[in-house]
Amino acid sequence: NQDTYFVSTIGSNVNDGTSSSDVWYSIEYALSQVCDEDTIIVLDGTYYEDSLEVDRDLVLGSMYLIDGDTNHISNTIIDGQDDGWIMMWYGGSNSWSDTTSNQVVGLTIRNGNSAGNGYAGGLTVYNNRVLKVKGVRFEYNQNNQDAGGAMYMRYNSYVELQDVKMQFNHANEGGAFYSYYCYSRFFDLDLNANTSNSERVAIYLNNARSFYSEDVTVRNHNSQNREIISMNMWDLTSDAVLKNWIVRDNSAQARLFAIAQQGTDDKLTLENCLIINNTTQNGGPGLLIRDTRNEVFILNSTIADNRTIGSTNKEGGAMIVMKSPQNDPSLTIVNSIVENEYSTYTIAENQDNGFDLNIENSFIEGGSTKIEVSSNSTLSYGTSNLSLGLYFTDADNGDYRLSSVAT
């Protein structure tokens, strides 16, 4: 039978935990008592606990699970007090269907501190395990020894994030999260002002089995090293999709947003994405696509108001750089805006291996004269493209819709 148990900061572990008036005292105790496919409801309050190991299929959440009141998310807090990592998930096994019985819902997870490799400060999903995280806020978690401040998604795990916010987390790499050869589905993910000791400040996707995402925002990160976002799409089993992304108001030393598509026969699509108002000190203020071996699509997207301070050459200053393409891949840009008034090239190739560049019905700053590809590449620049007369409604206040006076 699937049973529901309750935990409260004013409960007692001598109770039977079966109702909101007869509650257990700690999450740790509840985890030791429940069975597979049970549900643990954590009542409003702050729980000073860490090193919580979930070794069975279960649902762990606040009263938000029952009544849908979002106030429970900020009022139900697991606080590690910087004493240790907060949670390790061992439930589920190699299937998206297991997300039904493996969930963390409606909590705030903060002040976790990992002192070892392989554990995030906040929440770690173990090898081959499965977890859906919904309505969770990760704040001030850290891992100074390894990657993953808020979350570490380990080898071959299946992780779905829905309505998740990660802010002010810190790690050696991947201040928000680190993912290693995982199956990932992200819906409504907000990453704000996370930090790292070295590179890959917000997102470090270190190879991927699958990757689908919608409504992801990456904002207000500042790095003295390279890459706010680093995504290596090695070993994909299906097409990778980035849909409705907003990457804005970030700064880095170089290479703001880097995607590698190595060793895969699957496509990469960026659709309805907004990459705006980002700054680098030494090149790569927009999108770097490297080592790709197949088709890449940029559709209905805007890349604008990004700039680099110290490098305006083709690789350093271009808003889209195709680096080390392999096996004659293609990049297709349709119904998109790529603006670059600060440097020599808007779109450029690096290392001159050759690829097919197709642009249709788009605004490209400077037109084809600001596109640099090698003699090994082919450029198809459609007659419907524009290079002048672009006006946004109110870019200073973040409104990048086209003004009615645009061409």
Side-chain angles (χ1 to χ4, degrees), residues 283 308 310-318 321 340 343-345 348:
T308 184
S311 178
T312 59
N313 61 18
K314 69 174 185 179
E315 179 185 358
V321 175
N340 182 16
S343 54
T344 307
Y345 293 106

Side-chain angles (χ1 to χ4, degrees), residues 89-209:
W89 198 274
Y90 295 101
S93 182
N94 293 324
S95 173
W96 282 120
S97 63
D98 282 1
T99 56
T100 302
S101 54
N102 288 271
Q103 298 186 19
V104 174
V105 181
L107 300 169
T108 294
I109 295 176
R110 73 183 186 196
N111 294 329
N113 188 352
S114 176
N117 294 335
Y119 294 82
L123 170 61
T124 301
V125 184
Y126 203 71
N127 303 347
N128 305 301
R129 302 307 177 183
V130 181
L131 182 62
K132 178 177 180 178
V133 181
K134 179 180 178 181
V136 174
R137 311 295 180 249
F138 293 88
E139 301 173 350
Y140 302 103
N141 301 287
Q142 61 180 312
N143 181 356
N144 283 301
Q145 301 301 315
D146 198 5
M151 288 192 68
Y152 192 134
M153 308 166 198
R154 291 178 57 150
Y155 180 80
N156 226 41
S157 60
Y158 288 69
V159 179
E160 179 176 318
L161 305 182
Q162 181 179 343
D163 182 23
V164 170
K165 295 182 179 180
M166 301 179 181
Q167 62 179 352
F168 313 128
N169 302 284
H170 178 83
N172 190 47
E173 293 182 296
F177 71 81
Y178 173 71
S179 174
Y180 181 65
Y181 280 106
C182 293
Y183 299 84
S184 304
R185 301 194 303 209
F186 300 157
F187 305 94
D188 191 11
L189 174 62
D190 183 11
L191 310 182
N192 176 46
N194 302 282
T195 57
S196 75
N197 294 332
S198 56
E199 301 177 342
R200 308 170 181 111
V201 173
I203 296 174
Y204 185 8
L205 193 73
N206 188 4
N207 304 307
R209 303 295 194 203

Side-chain angles (χ1 to χ4, degrees), residues 342-354:
Y342 303 105
S343 54
T344 307
Y345 293 106
T346 300
I347 302 171
E349 179 182 358
N350 181 19
Q351 297 191 1
D352 300 344
N353 292 353

Side-chain angles (χ1 to χ4, degrees), residues 214-370:
E214 293 185 18
D215 302 309
V216 175
T217 300
V218 182
R219 58 194 173 97
N220 301 322
H221 296 86
N222 184 1
S223 173
Q224 299 305 309
N225 294 287
R226 298 188 305 179
E227 298 175 1
I228 300 298
I229 301 169
S230 178
M231 306 177 73
N232 188 344
M233 297 296 185
W234 182 277
D235 212 26
L236 285 172
T237 59
S238 59
D239 295 346
V241 176
L242 288 73
K243 187 175 182 179
N244 304 334
W245 278 52
I246 299 174
V247 180
R248 64 178 305 156
D249 304 321
N250 303 284
S251 63
Q253 179 63 25
R255 292 186 184 177
L256 185 100
F257 188 171
I259 303 178
Q261 193 195 16
Q262 302 164 305
T264 176
D265 294 326
D266 297 292
K267 301 178 182 66
L268 168 65
T269 299
L270 290 83
E271 181 178 358
N272 197 32
C273 293
L274 190 63
I275 304 173
I276 55 170
N277 200 35
N278 301 289
T279 304
T280 62
Q281 296 298 314
N282 193 31
L287 180 63
L288 171 67
I289 303 169
R290 63 180 178 87
D291 301 318
T292 186
R293 286 168 163 80
N294 202 353
E295 297 174 280
V296 179
F297 297 90
I298 299 176
L299 310 174
N300 307 318
S301 295
T302 296
I303 303 174
D305 285 341
N306 306 292
R307 68 188 70 188
T308 184
I309 304 302
S311 178
T312 59
N313 61 18
K314 69 174 185 179
E315 179 185 358
M319 293 301 105
I320 299 175
V321 175
M322 195 76 154
K323 182 175 183 179
S324 302
Q326 308 291 324
N327 303 335
D328 297 318
S330 65
L331 170 61
T332 299
I333 303 172
V334 180
N335 296 334
S336 294
I337 296 169
V338 187
E339 184 195 51
N340 182 16
E341 60 181 292
Y342 303 105
S343 54
T344 307
Y345 293 106
T346 300
I347 302 171
E349 179 182 358
N350 181 19
Q351 297 191 1
D352 300 344
N353 292 353
F355 71 105
D356 295 330
L357 175 58
N358 310 296
I359 305 174
E360 293 289 345
N361 201 35
S362 295
F363 177 93
I364 306 297
E365 180 88 27
S368 60
T369 61
K370 290 190 73 169

Side-chain angles (χ1 to χ4, degrees), residues 67-87:
D67 61 22
D69 185 347
T70 56
N71 289 315
H72 294 302
I73 298 174
S74 58
N75 292 332
T76 312
I77 302 163
I78 305 177
D79 191 323
Q81 296 185 289
D82 290 328
D83 284 339
W85 51 265
I86 289 181
M87 192 178 302

